[in-house]
Amino acid sequence: MLKQILIKLPRKLQKSDLLDSSGSDSGNHTSNSGNGIQCTNIGNSISSRLSVVKRVSSAVFPASIMVGVEAVEPNLSFTDVSILQKQSLFISKLNLCCEVSDFSDPDKTSAEQDLKHQTLIELVDFVSTGSAKFNEPAIAAMCKMCAVNLFRVFPPKYRSNSISGEVEDEEPMFDASWSNLQLVYDLLLGFITCSSLDAKVVKKYVDHSFISRLLDLFDSEDPRERDCLKTILHRIYGKLMVHRPFVRKAVSNIIYRFVFETERHNGIAELLEIFGSIISGFAVPLKEEHKMFLWKALIPLHKPKLVGVYHQQLTFCVVQFIDKDLKLANSVIKGLLKYWPVTNSQKELMFISELEEVLEMTSMAEFLKIMVPLFRRIAFCLNSSHYQVAERTHLLWNNEHILNLVTHNRQVIFPLIFPALERNSENHWNQAVLNLTQSIKKMLSEMDEELVLACRQKMEEENSQSIEATEKRKLTWERLETAANVILPAACPVTC
């Protein structure tokens, strides 16, 4: 046993010396690995390039953690090395992939791009086996490679003037380097989801800076990249619990900047989709921090005119909050009324649909607090000249829970909506809306005929008073005009 140990020590020393001198050795030499596999001159040239990459990234990922790591040529296959050398080969291949390829020039030689692409495929296959074990140097090298390849600033010329999806027929923009980016994302996802990964070590490298730059990538024009980011961020949130408050705060800041400053961001829908599942996992009773996210971030997201791009995900998040705390329904309805669209009919349709979902979860106690301003708004929608808005508002009465709320509070609600129904019967141009109006009037009469008659009588009285006030105002103006003509002296010629 002692003899075997003594034999191994010089070999490690000789191998590391060989790696250090590979950049200066100009001969057609070959190096032998621990298992006797012969490497070509290509492998030696790659090793010399790796030393440059190591120096560049040493400030971010210190090389001190690499001390004692056995170097292996990156052109070897994982099947050609021993189990003990696979970690070193993994790091060598990651370092090779730290060289960023330029896909903007189609005439540029693709030899290096092909080599990097093949190496990334090997890394993805190695991580996907599930049997890989990652020590701290491997984790550091992995995070460094992802940072070099993924973190970038999007050129302004590739940014649209609004969030993606503003125009339904707009073609999405695809990144020219997606073939490699996809492999890097697949590798990062497999790495994060690895069951053997030590979260205590990973959090040192997947830190706040790493997560912030990852969140910046959600502004990518490429929907495929945003979809990958969505999955990876969700996995990071689940794996690294210590970073959860920071992720929530960082996403809140993105939403604040979008709502109150730029109104331009491509990844709001994906971020809300992540938060939909996060909110469903919140403990009850909700923390004040979580309620503030609803009040300060989610509800103001109804303000931008392009809310339709992410409205489905936004509605899901809002409904999840109300499911956790029914008292929040009052705040949500107040927010909807605050940001209710006046001139955008398509946005108004979305608000009515969301309102119906919220009212389905609203208790009687919360409904009493908001019903007066709510049904004043509903009365306006019933009279909308846009037939889809008017029709969708009439259909609210088909919801049993909403109808039950109205029935129990008909003494307050009937006087608010009955004048709107009468105006529809007399003036609305659309036949479908007229038919729905007649159906609702019939339903109200069956519910409480005396109250309907009282509302009609009150409306007639108000109309009579309004006509009288108009006539009185007209007579008053006529008397003022007559008096002005009598008092006004004859026009005198102006002398200069």
Short mmCIF file of all heavy atoms in Angstrom, two decimals, residues 260-321:
data_model
loop_
_atom_site.label_atom_id
_atom_site.label_comp_id
_atom_site.label_asym_id
_atom_site.label_seq_id
_atom_site.Cartn_x
_atom_site.Cartn_y
_atom_site.Cartn_z
N PHE A 260 -44.61 52.33 -13.16
CA PHE A 260 -44.54 53.76 -12.86
C PHE A 260 -43.49 54.51 -13.69
O PHE A 260 -43.44 55.74 -13.63
CB PHE A 260 -44.24 53.98 -11.38
CG PHE A 260 -45.29 53.37 -10.48
CD1 PHE A 260 -45.01 52.25 -9.72
CD2 PHE A 260 -46.56 53.92 -10.41
CE1 PHE A 260 -45.98 51.68 -8.89
CE2 PHE A 260 -47.53 53.37 -9.58
CZ PHE A 260 -47.24 52.24 -8.82
N GLU A 261 -42.66 53.80 -14.47
CA GLU A 261 -41.63 54.49 -15.23
C GLU A 261 -41.68 54.18 -16.72
O GLU A 261 -41.99 55.03 -17.53
CB GLU A 261 -40.23 54.16 -14.67
CG GLU A 261 -40.01 54.67 -13.24
CD GLU A 261 -38.62 54.32 -12.73
OE1 GLU A 261 -37.76 53.92 -13.56
OE2 GLU A 261 -38.40 54.43 -11.51
N THR A 262 -41.39 52.92 -17.07
CA THR A 262 -41.14 52.61 -18.48
C THR A 262 -42.37 52.07 -19.22
O THR A 262 -42.55 52.37 -20.40
CB THR A 262 -40.02 51.57 -18.60
OG1 THR A 262 -40.44 50.34 -18.00
CG2 THR A 262 -38.76 52.07 -17.91
N GLU A 263 -43.18 51.26 -18.55
CA GLU A 263 -44.26 50.50 -19.19
C GLU A 263 -43.73 49.66 -20.35
O GLU A 263 -44.45 49.37 -21.32
CB GLU A 263 -45.39 51.42 -19.68
CG GLU A 263 -46.22 52.01 -18.54
CD GLU A 263 -47.55 52.56 -19.00
OE1 GLU A 263 -47.90 52.33 -20.17
OE2 GLU A 263 -48.22 53.20 -18.18
N ARG A 264 -42.48 49.26 -20.25
CA ARG A 264 -41.87 48.41 -21.28
C ARG A 264 -41.08 47.30 -20.60
O ARG A 264 -40.10 47.57 -19.90
CB ARG A 264 -40.94 49.23 -22.19
CG ARG A 264 -41.67 50.21 -23.08
CD ARG A 264 -40.72 50.92 -24.02
NE ARG A 264 -39.77 51.76 -23.29
CZ ARG A 264 -38.82 52.49 -23.86
NH1 ARG A 264 -38.69 52.47 -25.16
NH2 ARG A 264 -38.01 53.22 -23.13
N HIS A 265 -41.50 46.08 -20.80
CA HIS A 265 -40.77 44.92 -20.32
C HIS A 265 -41.35 43.68 -21.00
O HIS A 265 -42.56 43.58 -21.17
CB HIS A 265 -40.87 44.79 -18.79
CG HIS A 265 -39.83 43.88 -18.20
ND1 HIS A 265 -39.92 42.51 -18.24
CD2 HIS A 265 -38.67 44.16 -17.56
CE1 HIS A 265 -38.87 41.98 -17.64
NE2 HIS A 265 -38.08 42.96 -17.23
N ASN A 266 -40.47 42.77 -21.37
CA ASN A 266 -40.92 41.60 -22.12
C ASN A 266 -41.30 40.41 -21.25
O ASN A 266 -41.95 39.49 -21.75
CB ASN A 266 -39.81 41.16 -23.09
CG ASN A 266 -39.54 42.18 -24.17
OD1 ASN A 266 -40.44 42.59 -24.88
ND2 ASN A 266 -38.29 42.63 -24.27
N GLY A 267 -40.92 40.41 -19.98
CA GLY A 267 -41.08 39.21 -19.18
C GLY A 267 -42.05 39.30 -18.02
O GLY A 267 -42.00 38.47 -17.11
N ILE A 268 -42.96 40.28 -18.02
CA ILE A 268 -43.90 40.42 -16.91
C ILE A 268 -44.79 39.18 -16.79
O ILE A 268 -45.07 38.70 -15.69
CB ILE A 268 -44.76 41.69 -17.09
CG1 ILE A 268 -43.87 42.94 -17.06
CG2 ILE A 268 -45.81 41.78 -15.99
CD1 ILE A 268 -43.15 43.16 -15.75
N ALA A 269 -45.25 38.66 -17.91
CA ALA A 269 -46.14 37.48 -17.87
C ALA A 269 -45.42 36.29 -17.24
O ALA A 269 -46.00 35.57 -16.41
CB ALA A 269 -46.61 37.13 -19.28
N GLU A 270 -44.16 36.08 -17.61
CA GLU A 270 -43.41 34.95 -17.05
C GLU A 270 -43.14 35.13 -15.56
O GLU A 270 -43.24 34.17 -14.78
CB GLU A 270 -42.08 34.78 -17.80
CG GLU A 270 -42.20 34.21 -19.19
CD GLU A 270 -42.65 35.22 -20.23
OE1 GLU A 270 -42.70 36.43 -19.90
OE2 GLU A 270 -42.95 34.81 -21.37
N LEU A 271 -42.82 36.36 -15.15
CA LEU A 271 -42.58 36.61 -13.72
C LEU A 271 -43.85 36.38 -12.91
O LEU A 271 -43.81 35.82 -11.81
CB LEU A 271 -42.08 38.04 -13.52
CG LEU A 271 -40.66 38.34 -14.04
CD1 LEU A 271 -40.37 39.82 -13.97
CD2 LEU A 271 -39.62 37.55 -13.25
N LEU A 272 -45.00 36.81 -13.45
CA LEU A 272 -46.26 36.59 -12.74
C LEU A 272 -46.61 35.11 -12.70
O LEU A 272 -47.22 34.64 -11.72
CB LEU A 272 -47.38 37.38 -13.42
CG LEU A 272 -47.32 38.91 -13.27
CD1 LEU A 272 -48.44 39.56 -14.07
CD2 LEU A 272 -47.43 39.31 -11.80
N GLU A 273 -46.26 34.39 -13.74
CA GLU A 273 -46.54 32.94 -13.73
C GLU A 273 -45.75 32.25 -12.62
O GLU A 273 -46.25 31.33 -11.96
CB GLU A 273 -46.19 32.36 -15.09
CG GLU A 273 -46.68 30.94 -15.28
CD GLU A 273 -46.54 30.46 -16.71
OE1 GLU A 273 -46.38 31.30 -17.61
OE2 GLU A 273 -46.60 29.23 -16.92
N ILE A 274 -44.51 32.69 -12.42
CA ILE A 274 -43.71 32.14 -11.31
C ILE A 274 -44.38 32.47 -9.98
O ILE A 274 -44.52 31.61 -9.10
CB ILE A 274 -42.28 32.71 -11.36
CG1 ILE A 274 -41.56 32.26 -12.63
CG2 ILE A 274 -41.49 32.26 -10.13
CD1 ILE A 274 -40.24 32.95 -12.86
N PHE A 275 -44.79 33.73 -9.85
CA PHE A 275 -45.37 34.15 -8.57
C PHE A 275 -46.72 33.51 -8.32
O PHE A 275 -47.15 33.42 -7.16
CB PHE A 275 -45.47 35.68 -8.53
CG PHE A 275 -44.37 36.31 -7.74
CD1 PHE A 275 -43.12 36.49 -8.31
CD2 PHE A 275 -44.55 36.68 -6.43
CE1 PHE A 275 -42.08 37.05 -7.60
CE2 PHE A 275 -43.52 37.24 -5.69
CZ PHE A 275 -42.29 37.43 -6.28
N GLY A 276 -47.40 33.08 -9.36
CA GLY A 276 -48.65 32.37 -9.14
C GLY A 276 -48.47 31.14 -8.29
O GLY A 276 -49.24 30.88 -7.35
N SER A 277 -47.42 30.36 -8.61
CA SER A 277 -47.15 29.16 -7.82
C SER A 277 -46.54 29.51 -6.47
O SER A 277 -46.75 28.80 -5.47
CB SER A 277 -46.22 28.22 -8.60
OG SER A 277 -45.01 28.89 -8.92
N ILE A 278 -45.77 30.61 -6.40
CA ILE A 278 -45.18 31.02 -5.13
C ILE A 278 -46.28 31.45 -4.15
O ILE A 278 -46.27 31.08 -2.97
CB ILE A 278 -44.17 32.17 -5.35
CG1 ILE A 278 -42.94 31.65 -6.10
CG2 ILE A 278 -43.76 32.79 -4.02
CD1 ILE A 278 -41.94 32.72 -6.45
N ILE A 279 -47.25 32.23 -4.64
CA ILE A 279 -48.33 32.71 -3.78
C ILE A 279 -49.15 31.56 -3.24
O ILE A 279 -49.59 31.57 -2.08
CB ILE A 279 -49.22 33.70 -4.55
CG1 ILE A 279 -48.43 34.95 -4.90
CG2 ILE A 279 -50.46 34.08 -3.75
CD1 ILE A 279 -49.11 35.85 -5.91
N SER A 280 -49.36 30.53 -4.07
CA SER A 280 -50.15 29.38 -3.62
C SER A 280 -49.47 28.65 -2.46
O SER A 280 -50.13 27.92 -1.72
CB SER A 280 -50.38 28.41 -4.78
OG SER A 280 -49.14 27.89 -5.25
N GLY A 281 -48.17 28.86 -2.28
CA GLY A 281 -47.45 28.23 -1.19
C GLY A 281 -47.29 29.10 0.05
O GLY A 281 -46.67 28.66 1.03
N PHE A 282 -47.82 30.32 0.02
CA PHE A 282 -47.72 31.20 1.19
C PHE A 282 -48.49 30.60 2.37
O PHE A 282 -49.58 30.05 2.20
CB PHE A 282 -48.29 32.57 0.88
CG PHE A 282 -47.38 33.45 0.05
CD1 PHE A 282 -47.87 34.59 -0.58
CD2 PHE A 282 -46.04 33.15 -0.08
CE1 PHE A 282 -47.04 35.40 -1.33
CE2 PHE A 282 -45.20 33.95 -0.84
CZ PHE A 282 -45.71 35.07 -1.46
N ALA A 283 -47.91 30.75 3.54
CA ALA A 283 -48.56 30.26 4.75
C ALA A 283 -49.66 31.23 5.18
O ALA A 283 -49.62 32.42 4.88
CB ALA A 283 -47.53 30.10 5.88
N VAL A 284 -50.65 30.68 5.87
CA VAL A 284 -51.78 31.46 6.38
C VAL A 284 -51.64 31.57 7.89
O VAL A 284 -51.34 30.58 8.56
CB VAL A 284 -53.11 30.79 6.00
CG1 VAL A 284 -54.28 31.57 6.56
CG2 VAL A 284 -53.22 30.68 4.47
N PRO A 285 -51.86 32.75 8.49
CA PRO A 285 -52.24 34.03 7.86
C PRO A 285 -51.09 34.66 7.10
O PRO A 285 -49.92 34.45 7.42
CB PRO A 285 -52.65 34.89 9.06
CG PRO A 285 -51.85 34.34 10.21
CD PRO A 285 -51.74 32.86 9.96
N LEU A 286 -51.44 35.45 6.09
CA LEU A 286 -50.44 36.06 5.23
C LEU A 286 -49.62 37.09 5.99
O LEU A 286 -50.14 37.82 6.83
CB LEU A 286 -51.12 36.74 4.04
CG LEU A 286 -51.78 35.83 3.00
CD1 LEU A 286 -52.53 36.68 1.99
CD2 LEU A 286 -50.74 34.96 2.29
N LYS A 287 -48.33 37.14 5.67
CA LYS A 287 -47.47 38.16 6.24
C LYS A 287 -47.81 39.52 5.64
O LYS A 287 -48.34 39.62 4.53
CB LYS A 287 -46.01 37.84 5.98
CG LYS A 287 -45.52 36.55 6.64
CD LYS A 287 -44.06 36.32 6.30
CE LYS A 287 -43.54 35.03 6.93
NZ LYS A 287 -42.12 34.78 6.57
N GLU A 288 -47.50 40.57 6.37
CA GLU A 288 -47.75 41.92 5.87
C GLU A 288 -46.95 42.19 4.60
O GLU A 288 -47.42 42.90 3.69
CB GLU A 288 -47.36 42.95 6.95
CG GLU A 288 -47.88 44.35 6.69
CD GLU A 288 -49.40 44.43 6.73
OE1 GLU A 288 -50.03 43.54 7.36
OE2 GLU A 288 -49.95 45.39 6.15
N GLU A 289 -45.76 41.61 4.51
CA GLU A 289 -44.93 41.77 3.30
C GLU A 289 -45.66 41.26 2.07
O GLU A 289 -45.62 41.87 0.99
CB GLU A 289 -43.61 41.01 3.50
CG GLU A 289 -42.77 40.90 2.24
CD GLU A 289 -41.80 39.73 2.28
OE1 GLU A 289 -41.60 39.14 3.36
OE2 GLU A 289 -41.26 39.41 1.21
N HIS A 290 -46.33 40.11 2.22
CA HIS A 290 -47.04 39.52 1.09
C HIS A 290 -48.25 40.36 0.70
O HIS A 290 -48.55 40.52 -0.49
CB HIS A 290 -47.45 38.09 1.43
CG HIS A 290 -46.29 37.20 1.77
ND1 HIS A 290 -46.41 36.08 2.56
CD2 HIS A 290 -44.98 37.28 1.42
CE1 HIS A 290 -45.23 35.50 2.69
NE2 HIS A 290 -44.35 36.21 2.00
N LYS A 291 -48.95 40.89 1.67
CA LYS A 291 -50.09 41.76 1.37
C LYS A 291 -49.63 43.04 0.66
O LYS A 291 -50.31 43.53 -0.25
CB LYS A 291 -50.84 42.11 2.66
CG LYS A 291 -51.53 40.93 3.33
CD LYS A 291 -52.24 41.38 4.60
CE LYS A 291 -52.90 40.20 5.32
NZ LYS A 291 -53.58 40.62 6.57
N MET A 292 -48.49 43.55 1.07
CA MET A 292 -47.96 44.75 0.42
C MET A 292 -47.63 44.47 -1.04
O MET A 292 -47.79 45.36 -1.90
CB MET A 292 -46.70 45.24 1.15
CG MET A 292 -46.98 45.80 2.54
SD MET A 292 -48.04 47.27 2.49
CE MET A 292 -46.96 48.42 1.67
N PHE A 293 -47.18 43.27 -1.34
CA PHE A 293 -46.91 42.91 -2.74
C PHE A 293 -48.20 42.96 -3.57
O PHE A 293 -48.19 43.41 -4.72
CB PHE A 293 -46.29 41.52 -2.80
CG PHE A 293 -45.98 41.05 -4.19
CD1 PHE A 293 -44.91 41.56 -4.90
CD2 PHE A 293 -46.79 40.09 -4.81
CE1 PHE A 293 -44.64 41.14 -6.19
CE2 PHE A 293 -46.51 39.66 -6.10
CZ PHE A 293 -45.44 40.18 -6.79
N LEU A 294 -49.29 42.53 -2.98
CA LEU A 294 -50.58 42.61 -3.66
C LEU A 294 -50.99 44.06 -3.87
O LEU A 294 -51.38 44.45 -4.99
CB LEU A 294 -51.65 41.86 -2.86
CG LEU A 294 -53.10 42.05 -3.32
CD1 LEU A 294 -53.30 41.42 -4.69
CD2 LEU A 294 -54.07 41.46 -2.31
N TRP A 295 -50.90 44.87 -2.82
CA TRP A 295 -51.39 46.25 -2.88
C TRP A 295 -50.49 47.15 -3.73
O TRP A 295 -50.99 47.98 -4.50
CB TRP A 295 -51.50 46.83 -1.47
CG TRP A 295 -52.51 46.12 -0.61
CD1 TRP A 295 -53.66 45.52 -1.03
CD2 TRP A 295 -52.46 45.94 0.81
NE1 TRP A 295 -54.32 44.97 0.03
CE2 TRP A 295 -53.61 45.21 1.19
CE3 TRP A 295 -51.56 46.30 1.81
CZ2 TRP A 295 -53.89 44.85 2.50
CZ3 TRP A 295 -51.83 45.95 3.11
CH2 TRP A 295 -52.99 45.23 3.46
N LYS A 296 -49.17 46.97 -3.60
CA LYS A 296 -48.24 47.90 -4.24
C LYS A 296 -47.74 47.44 -5.61
O LYS A 296 -47.26 48.26 -6.39
CB LYS A 296 -47.01 48.11 -3.32
CG LYS A 296 -47.34 48.66 -1.95
CD LYS A 296 -47.95 50.06 -2.03
CE LYS A 296 -48.18 50.63 -0.64
NZ LYS A 296 -48.80 51.99 -0.71
N ALA A 297 -47.84 46.15 -5.89
CA ALA A 297 -47.30 45.63 -7.16
C ALA A 297 -48.39 45.05 -8.06
O ALA A 297 -48.53 45.47 -9.21
CB ALA A 297 -46.24 44.57 -6.87
N LEU A 298 -49.17 44.11 -7.56
CA LEU A 298 -50.13 43.41 -8.42
C LEU A 298 -51.29 44.31 -8.84
O LEU A 298 -51.66 44.35 -10.02
CB LEU A 298 -50.65 42.16 -7.71
CG LEU A 298 -49.63 41.04 -7.48
CD1 LEU A 298 -50.31 39.81 -6.90
CD2 LEU A 298 -48.89 40.68 -8.76
N ILE A 299 -51.90 45.01 -7.89
CA ILE A 299 -53.05 45.86 -8.25
C ILE A 299 -52.65 46.99 -9.20
O ILE A 299 -53.34 47.23 -10.20
CB ILE A 299 -53.73 46.40 -6.97
CG1 ILE A 299 -54.41 45.23 -6.22
CG2 ILE A 299 -54.75 47.47 -7.33
CD1 ILE A 299 -55.09 45.61 -4.93
N PRO A 300 -51.52 47.69 -8.99
CA PRO A 300 -51.12 48.71 -9.98
C PRO A 300 -50.80 48.14 -11.35
O PRO A 300 -50.77 48.89 -12.33
CB PRO A 300 -49.87 49.34 -9.34
CG PRO A 300 -50.05 49.15 -7.88
CD PRO A 300 -50.70 47.80 -7.75
N LEU A 301 -50.55 46.84 -11.46
CA LEU A 301 -50.30 46.25 -12.77
C LEU A 301 -51.52 46.31 -13.68
O LEU A 301 -51.42 46.04 -14.89
CB LEU A 301 -49.85 44.78 -12.62
CG LEU A 301 -48.35 44.55 -12.44
CD1 LEU A 301 -48.07 43.08 -12.16
CD2 LEU A 301 -47.56 45.02 -13.64
N HIS A 302 -52.69 46.66 -13.13
CA HIS A 302 -53.87 46.86 -13.96
C HIS A 302 -53.83 48.19 -14.71
O HIS A 302 -54.63 48.42 -15.60
CB HIS A 302 -55.15 46.81 -13.10
CG HIS A 302 -55.43 45.46 -12.51
ND1 HIS A 302 -54.86 45.03 -11.33
CD2 HIS A 302 -56.23 44.45 -12.93
CE1 HIS A 302 -55.30 43.82 -11.06
NE2 HIS A 302 -56.13 43.43 -12.01
N LYS A 303 -52.91 49.05 -14.35
CA LYS A 303 -52.87 50.40 -14.92
C LYS A 303 -52.38 50.45 -16.37
O LYS A 303 -53.00 51.13 -17.19
CB LYS A 303 -52.00 51.30 -14.03
CG LYS A 303 -51.82 52.71 -14.57
CD LYS A 303 -50.86 53.49 -13.69
CE LYS A 303 -50.60 54.88 -14.25
NZ LYS A 303 -49.63 55.63 -13.43
N PRO A 304 -51.27 49.78 -16.74
CA PRO A 304 -50.76 49.92 -18.12
C PRO A 304 -51.80 49.53 -19.16
O PRO A 304 -52.60 48.62 -18.96
CB PRO A 304 -49.56 48.97 -18.14
CG PRO A 304 -49.12 48.88 -16.71
CD PRO A 304 -50.37 48.95 -15.91
N LYS A 305 -51.76 50.20 -20.29
CA LYS A 305 -52.76 49.94 -21.33
C LYS A 305 -52.56 48.58 -21.97
O LYS A 305 -53.48 48.05 -22.60
CB LYS A 305 -52.69 51.04 -22.39
CG LYS A 305 -51.36 51.14 -23.13
CD LYS A 305 -51.40 52.25 -24.14
CE LYS A 305 -50.06 52.37 -24.88
NZ LYS A 305 -50.10 53.45 -25.90
N LEU A 306 -51.35 48.01 -21.85
CA LEU A 306 -51.08 46.71 -22.45
C LEU A 306 -51.20 45.58 -21.44
O LEU A 306 -50.49 44.58 -21.52
CB LEU A 306 -49.67 46.72 -23.06
CG LEU A 306 -49.51 47.74 -24.19
CD1 LEU A 306 -48.06 47.81 -24.63
CD2 LEU A 306 -50.40 47.39 -25.37
N VAL A 307 -52.10 45.73 -20.50
CA VAL A 307 -52.30 44.72 -19.46
C VAL A 307 -52.74 43.39 -20.07
O VAL A 307 -52.56 42.33 -19.47
CB VAL A 307 -53.34 45.22 -18.43
CG1 VAL A 307 -54.69 45.40 -19.08
CG2 VAL A 307 -53.44 44.28 -17.24
N GLY A 308 -53.29 43.41 -21.27
CA GLY A 308 -53.76 42.18 -21.89
C GLY A 308 -52.67 41.15 -22.13
O GLY A 308 -52.95 39.95 -22.20
N VAL A 309 -51.41 41.59 -22.21
CA VAL A 309 -50.30 40.67 -22.44
C VAL A 309 -50.13 39.72 -21.26
O VAL A 309 -49.77 38.55 -21.44
CB VAL A 309 -49.00 41.46 -22.70
CG1 VAL A 309 -47.82 40.53 -22.87
CG2 VAL A 309 -49.16 42.34 -23.92
N TYR A 310 -50.39 40.19 -20.06
CA TYR A 310 -50.15 39.37 -18.87
C TYR A 310 -51.38 39.28 -17.98
O TYR A 310 -51.28 38.83 -16.83
CB TYR A 310 -48.99 39.98 -18.05
CG TYR A 310 -49.18 41.44 -17.70
CD1 TYR A 310 -49.94 41.83 -16.61
CD2 TYR A 310 -48.58 42.43 -18.47
CE1 TYR A 310 -50.12 43.16 -16.28
CE2 TYR A 310 -48.76 43.77 -18.17
CZ TYR A 310 -49.52 44.13 -17.07
OH TYR A 310 -49.69 45.45 -16.75
N HIS A 311 -52.56 39.65 -18.48
CA HIS A 311 -53.74 39.72 -17.61
C HIS A 311 -54.14 38.36 -17.07
O HIS A 311 -54.60 38.24 -15.92
CB HIS A 311 -54.91 40.35 -18.36
CG HIS A 311 -56.11 40.55 -17.51
ND1 HIS A 311 -57.20 39.69 -17.51
CD2 HIS A 311 -56.41 41.51 -16.58
CE1 HIS A 311 -58.09 40.11 -16.65
NE2 HIS A 311 -57.65 41.22 -16.07
N GLN A 312 -53.99 37.32 -17.85
CA GLN A 312 -54.37 35.98 -17.38
C GLN A 312 -53.55 35.58 -16.16
O GLN A 312 -54.07 35.09 -15.16
CB GLN A 312 -54.19 34.97 -18.50
CG GLN A 312 -54.59 33.55 -18.13
CD GLN A 312 -54.41 32.58 -19.28
OE1 GLN A 312 -54.06 32.98 -20.39
NE2 GLN A 312 -54.64 31.31 -19.03
N GLN A 313 -52.22 35.79 -16.24
CA GLN A 313 -51.35 35.46 -15.10
C GLN A 313 -51.62 36.38 -13.91
O GLN A 313 -51.58 35.94 -12.76
CB GLN A 313 -49.88 35.58 -15.52
CG GLN A 313 -49.43 34.57 -16.55
CD GLN A 313 -49.74 34.99 -17.98
OE1 GLN A 313 -50.40 35.98 -18.23
NE2 GLN A 313 -49.23 34.22 -18.93
N LEU A 314 -51.92 37.65 -14.19
CA LEU A 314 -52.21 38.60 -13.11
C LEU A 314 -53.48 38.20 -12.38
O LEU A 314 -53.52 38.23 -11.13
CB LEU A 314 -52.35 40.01 -13.70
CG LEU A 314 -52.74 41.12 -12.74
CD1 LEU A 314 -51.73 41.26 -11.62
CD2 LEU A 314 -52.90 42.44 -13.48
N THR A 315 -54.51 37.82 -13.11
CA THR A 315 -55.76 37.40 -12.48
C THR A 315 -55.54 36.18 -11.60
O THR A 315 -56.09 36.09 -10.49
CB THR A 315 -56.81 37.09 -13.55
OG1 THR A 315 -57.03 38.26 -14.35
CG2 THR A 315 -58.12 36.67 -12.93
N PHE A 316 -54.74 35.25 -12.07
CA PHE A 316 -54.46 34.05 -11.28
C PHE A 316 -53.78 34.41 -9.96
O PHE A 316 -54.14 33.87 -8.90
CB PHE A 316 -53.59 33.08 -12.07
CG PHE A 316 -53.27 31.81 -11.35
CD1 PHE A 316 -54.21 30.81 -11.22
CD2 PHE A 316 -52.02 31.63 -10.77
CE1 PHE A 316 -53.91 29.63 -10.55
CE2 PHE A 316 -51.72 30.45 -10.09
CZ PHE A 316 -52.66 29.45 -9.98
N CYS A 317 -52.81 35.33 -10.01
CA CYS A 317 -52.12 35.75 -8.78
C CYS A 317 -53.10 36.41 -7.81
O CYS A 317 -53.07 36.13 -6.60
CB CYS A 317 -50.98 36.71 -9.12
SG CYS A 317 -49.58 35.95 -9.97
N VAL A 318 -53.96 37.28 -8.32
CA VAL A 318 -54.92 37.98 -7.47
C VAL A 318 -55.88 36.99 -6.82
O VAL A 318 -56.18 37.08 -5.61
CB VAL A 318 -55.69 39.04 -8.30
CG1 VAL A 318 -56.87 39.59 -7.51
CG2 VAL A 318 -54.75 40.17 -8.71
N VAL A 319 -56.36 36.05 -7.60
CA VAL A 319 -57.30 35.05 -7.07
C VAL A 319 -56.62 34.20 -6.00
O VAL A 319 -57.24 33.83 -4.99
CB VAL A 319 -57.86 34.19 -8.21
CG1 VAL A 319 -58.62 32.99 -7.67
CG2 VAL A 319 -58.77 35.02 -9.10
N GLN A 320 -55.33 33.88 -6.19
CA GLN A 320 -54.60 33.11 -5.19
C GLN A 320 -54.52 33.86 -3.86
O GLN A 320 -54.64 33.26 -2.79
CB GLN A 320 -53.19 32.79 -5.70
CG GLN A 320 -53.14 31.78 -6.83
CD GLN A 320 -53.62 30.41 -6.39
OE1 GLN A 320 -53.19 29.89 -5.37
NE2 GLN A 320 -54.52 29.84 -7.16
N PHE A 321 -54.31 35.16 -3.93
CA PHE A 321 -54.27 35.97 -2.71
C PHE A 321 -55.62 35.95 -1.99
O PHE A 321 -55.68 35.78 -0.76
CB PHE A 321 -53.87 37.41 -3.04
CG PHE A 321 -52.41 37.70 -2.86
CD1 PHE A 321 -51.60 37.91 -3.95
CD2 PHE A 321 -51.85 37.74 -1.59
CE1 PHE A 321 -50.24 38.18 -3.79
CE2 PHE A 321 -50.50 38.00 -1.42
CZ PHE A 321 -49.69 38.22 -2.53
#
